[in-house]
Amino acid sequence: MKIIGITGGVGSGKSEILNILKNDYQAKVIQSDHVAHELMVPGAKSYDAIVQAFGNEILNEDQTINRPILGEIVFHDETKTFIIKTASLIKNVDEEILSRIDQFGKEEPEGLLVIESALLVGAGYEKRFDQLWYIYTREEVRYERLK
């Protein structure tokens, strides 16, 4: 199994590279943001801790977490950012990605696995990468893409 880690800023072109690797090279792609979202649904590993930390005001009527409201809280208050970290979300995401790496290795020992995350280095699983790709794009280009 070959594992490539991909990181880079918002609008750098990571998604396009992931699509090429997936479509042209049959890579299995794991995106840390998607894993985090999966772990935040009712009954999932991070759900209760997040609701306990931030209260029911972050919930939609169907009891799902309203991610825009949670994001507004977290990204504008460093104390709240710390709370989300201590609510085990990041730890749970890292554990889940490690588990998926192991599972993929069993199912497709000759396959290509790509892990995409804004915070790849320091999570622990980067030690398992064969390569780490940083996607760089000039700031003005990223800004235009995001418009």
Side-chain angles (χ1 to χ4, degrees):
M1 164 175 70
K2 183 171 192 101
I3 304 175
I4 299 172
I6 294 185
T7 192
V10 174
S12 63
K14 295 183 306 288
S15 295
E16 184 63 27
I17 290 172
L18 293 175
N19 285 333
I20 291 168
L21 291 169
K22 184 177 177 182
N23 296 327
D24 295 352
Y25 298 92
Q26 292 69 53
K28 164 79 169 160
V29 174
I30 298 174
Q31 294 177 273
S32 64
D33 283 349
H34 294 177
V35 173
H37 297 164
E38 292 171 19
L39 296 177
M40 291 171 53
V41 300
K45 197 171 186 178
S46 297
Y47 178 84
D48 289 337
I50 292 171
V51 173
Q52 185 176 19
F54 292 93
N56 289 339
E57 57 270 8
I58 66 165
L59 296 178
N60 295 311
E61 285 185 29
D62 64 359
Q63 300 303 298
T64 57
I65 293 174
N66 185 311
R67 291 195 334 255
I69 290 175
L70 179 62
E72 189 68 28
I73 294 167
V74 170
F75 295 118
H76 289 95
D77 185 335
E78 287 184 30
T79 304
K80 302 293 185 182
T81 301
F82 179 76
I83 290 172
I84 198 88
K85 290 179 181 178
T86 59
S88 298
L89 180 61
I90 292 172
K91 177 181 168 263
N92 290 345
V93 169
D94 291 345
E95 288 175 357
E96 182 63 24
I97 289 173
L98 284 169
S99 174
R100 291 182 187 193
I101 290 170
D102 291 340
Q103 187 63 35
F104 181 79
K106 291 175 188 169
E107 294 172 0
E108 298 188 44
E110 301 300 317
L112 174 60
L113 180 62
V114 179
I115 314 291
E116 182 273 324
S117 179
L119 303 171
L120 277 179
V121 178
Y125 42 82
E126 77 278 3
K127 296 172 188 159
R128 300 178 70 180
F129 296 160
D130 295 294
Q131 297 178 11
L132 176 59
W133 297 1
Y134 176 76
I135 310 306
Y136 172 79
T137 305
R138 290 186 327 274
E139 189 172 324
E140 61 270 13
V141 173
R142 292 171 50 203
Y143 178 77
E144 284 300 315
R145 289 177 179 170
L146 294 172
K147 286 195 325 186

